[in-house]
Amino acid sequence: KAGVTQTPRYLIKTRGQQVTLSCSPISGHRSVSWYQQTPGQGLQFLFEYFSETQRNKGNFPGRFSGRQFSNSRSEMNVSTLELGDSALYLCASSPGLYNTGELFFGEGSRLTVL
Amino acid sequence: GENVEQHPSTLSVQEGDSAVIKCTYSDSASNYFPWYKQELGKRPQLIIDIRSNVGEKKDQRIAVTLNKTAKHFSLHITETQPEDSAVYFCAASNGNNNDMRFGAGTRLTVKP
C-alpha cells in the first residue's frame, strides 16, 4: 500500500502570498488531519476532515483553511502569509472510524515565508 | 478541546539506562493514547499505544502506563540504545481521531 503523500515537499513564499498544500491519504482511509510542526511547539492540530466534512478545527486563525475531495485527497490553504507561518505542515490519514487508532503521517511540506 | 502537556522537553541518558517521559491530558472523554517517535528529518511513527480500558502495555523494551483517575500516562524505555535517540510525542484522542492532540515533544538523547 502506498503511504501518505504530501506535495510539494518544500516551498518558499513571501509575506502576503497564499499557499496550497496537498495530501493524498492511504487508499481506503477517509480521515485526513493536518498539523503544524514548529520547533518547541510540537504538533499543533489544524483541522480534520472525514468524507469531505470538517469534523474538528484547532485554534488557528481563519487564514488557515482546508477541504477534502470525494477521493479523500485533502488540501490546506494559508492566505496572507506571515513570517510565523514558516513551519513543517504534516498531514496524517486514518480510516476515521471509531477506535481505528493509528495516524499515518506523510513526510510533510516545509514552508518558508520570507 | 483536549490539552496535552508533556515533560521533560529534553532528556539525556547513558546507553543502557532507562528513560521515562510523562504526559497529562485534560479531557476525560479521551480514550486513546498513542506515542510517536520522530527521528531527525523523518515523519512521526507510532511506537506504542494504549486504550483507556487498559492500565499498562508492554512491547519489548518500551511500555506505557495510564492512570485515568489522574489523567496522566507515561512512556518507559528500558535498556536504551543510541538508536532510541529521537523526539517522542504523546497524544490523546477521543477514539475516532477527529481531534488527536499532541504534547510538545521530548527530545531524547542516548549517549553511547
Side-chain angles (χ1 to χ4, degrees):
Chain A
K1 247 185 188 180
V4 178
T5 304
Q6 291 188 245
T7 57
R9 291 290 315 282
Y10 302 91
L11 64 168
I12 300 174
K13 294 285 187 178
T14 56
R15 278 181 299 174
Q17 287 187 312
Q18 73 163 15
V19 66
T20 299
L21 309 177
S22 178
C23 174
S24 293
I26 291 172
S27 177
H29 285 189
R30 294 160 64 189
S31 168
V32 174
S33 300
W34 287 90
Y35 292 87
Q36 181 193 66
Q37 184 173 24
T38 55
Q41 293 294 314
L43 297 162
Q44 300 288 309
F45 176 73
L46 281 155
F47 26 66
E48 188 264 0
Y49 287 88
F50 178 82
S51 292
E52 302 179 68
T53 300
Q54 185 183 88
R55 292 196 295 189
N56 212 342
K57 190 177 191 305
N59 295 325
F60 278 82
R63 299 186 297 107
F64 293 80
S65 63
R67 59 178 175 169
Q68 187 179 35
F69 302 95
S70 59
N71 62 358
S72 294
R73 189 177 71 85
S74 177
E75 289 181 346
M76 68 162 282
N77 184 275
V78 188
S79 63
T80 320
L81 284 166
E82 300 177 359
L83 295 179
D85 297 333
S86 294
L88 179 67
Y89 290 87
L90 290 163
C91 82
S93 77
S94 76
L97 302 173
Y98 193 72
N99 274 344
T100 53
E102 183 178 2
L103 289 183
F104 294 85
F105 283 89
E107 294 192 346
S109 293
R110 185 166 295 280
L111 170 65
T112 301
V113 182
L114 302 176
Chain B
E2 176 65 272
N3 182 45
V4 179
E5 295 194 355
Q6 182 173 347
H7 300 280
S9 56
T10 60
L11 180 59
S12 182
V13 299
Q14 208 64 38
E15 182 177 359
D17 287 350
S18 294
V20 180
I21 303 170
K22 299 182 179 182
C23 289
T24 61
Y25 63 99
S26 62
D27 189 351
S28 56
S30 291
N31 59 14
Y32 175 65
F33 307 91
W35 287 86
Y36 284 79
K37 176 184 180 182
Q38 186 177 30
E39 296 177 358
L40 190 63
K42 296 192 176 180
R43 71 189 80 190
Q45 291 193 299
L46 180 74
I47 56 170
I48 194 168
D49 56 13
I50 191 168
R51 298 190 185 276
S52 59
N53 59 346
V54 175
E56 183 176 357
K57 184 176 178 181
K58 275 183 147 179
D59 183 4
Q60 299 183 341
R61 295 186 298 108
I62 60 174
V64 58
T65 59
L66 170 65
N67 183 326
K68 280 187 63 180
T69 303
K71 294 200 187 91
H72 66 71
F73 56 113
S74 301
L75 177 71
H76 304 253
I77 307 174
T78 58
E79 300 171 25
T80 53
Q81 301 167 3
E83 51 265 38
D84 294 331
S85 295
V87 178
Y88 291 81
F89 293 98
C90 62
S93 167
N94 64 6
N96 64 1
N97 289 347
N98 70 342
D99 73 341
M100 190 174 291
R101 307 299 174 113
F102 286 78
T106 296
R107 180 173 298 280
L108 173 65
T109 303
V110 181
K111 299 176 185 176

